[in-house]
Amino acid sequence: MPMSLGPSPARRDALAKRIRLLVAATITYNVIEAILAISAGALASSTALIGFGLDSVIEVSSAAAVAWQFAARDHAVREAREHRTLRIIAVSFFALAAYVTLDAVRALTGTGEAEPSIPGVVIAALSLAIMPFLSAAQRRAGRELGSASAVADSKQTLLCTYLSAVLLAGLLLNASLGWSWADPIAALVIAAVAMKEGRDAWQGKGCCAPPVATAAASAAEPEACACGAGCDCCD
């Protein structure tokens, strides 16, 4: 099976610009989310909400690393920054997994149960509605461009969606049924996923740099995945 051609230089520039815009939107949203979630968590004495807010801070660091990479206008410079950006994203994943695990253990031992919070429910619901679209858009652009760092950051944004669902379920179940254990159990599963994604990012797994395509080939398949054989960014 022949290897698919990557995007043309013009298409690469357009994709890089799209990723910069998506990353900027992600950073802006997460900064606001972090402030609101930590504030609501402090008012409700909810470790789950505070943890969710701190997760947003970690996501900002990951997105900022990608923003730094794609701030370079030259494709060669962006490629050179790829490895360092992946390491930053990996550390962000590990930090997220560590905090979520600690928070889950505290909740299970009865020292950090999620408290009912209407603002928390609203924040979690908004994230659950918004984050999947940001993640999918960045993942598509990253896959076509062949950028492992952009794809890895999109996975962290997607992980925020899972955390939002866990937080929302935990707050609602705790408020209605008193099931305070539901949140930390699901959080431990998410922590395991975060560890895997962090390991993959640290090892550089993901997208491979695609070959340059002709303008005609790029125009014929503008949304085609640019990864070659042995790459898993199109999985």
Side-chain angles (χ1 to χ4, degrees):
M1 180 178 178
M3 182 174 60
S4 60
L5 293 175
S8 67
R11 180 63 178 168
R12 278 206 306 261
D13 290 342
L15 289 169
K17 181 179 180 181
R18 184 186 303 175
I19 290 173
R20 286 195 297 270
L21 292 174
L22 289 168
V23 167
T26 301
I27 290 175
T28 301
Y29 182 85
N30 275 305
V31 167
I32 296 172
E33 181 182 73
I35 294 172
L36 294 178
I38 292 174
S39 299
L43 290 174
S45 299
S46 171
T47 56
L49 264 174
I50 294 174
F52 184 73
L54 291 177
D55 160 63
S56 298
V57 175
I58 293 173
E59 285 186 64
V60 168
S61 69
S62 172
V66 176
W68 167 74
Q69 177 189 350
F70 282 89
R73 299 293 177 177
D74 185 76
H75 179 67
V77 176
R78 293 197 298 266
E79 286 289 311
R81 293 179 176 181
E82 178 95 352
H83 178 72
R84 188 178 301 176
T85 302
L86 279 171
R87 289 299 175 91
I88 295 173
I89 292 174
V91 171
S92 297
F93 268 121
F94 293 146
L96 173 58
Y99 186 87
V100 169
T101 299
L102 177 62
D103 190 62
V105 170
R106 289 172 59 194
L108 287 171
T109 56
T111 58
E113 295 182 358
E115 296 293 333
S117 171
I118 297 302
V121 170
V122 173
I123 293 169
L126 283 175
S127 293
L128 195 57
I130 294 172
M131 285 303 180
F133 294 100
L134 285 175
S135 174
Q138 185 174 335
R139 186 164 59 253
R140 282 195 300 269
R143 283 173 171 174
E144 186 178 349
L145 187 60
S147 171
S149 60
V151 173
D153 186 58
S154 75
K155 290 180 178 179
Q156 190 165 82
T157 302
L158 185 62
L159 196 62
C160 177
T161 303
Y162 301 150
L163 282 171
S164 301
V166 168
L167 176 63
L168 183 60
L171 291 175
L172 291 176
L173 288 174
N174 193 26
S176 60
L177 301 175
W179 290 0
S180 59
W181 50 265
D183 181 292
I185 292 298
L188 288 175
V189 176
I190 291 174
V193 174
M195 284 296 296
K196 176 187 178 300
E197 297 295 349
R199 185 181 68 250
D200 288 348
W202 186 269
Q203 295 173 349
K205 293 182 180 179
C207 295
C208 309
V212 177
T214 63
S218 180
E221 293 184 297
E223 298 298 328
C225 180
C227 300
C231 303
D232 62 3
C233 69
C234 296
D235 293 344

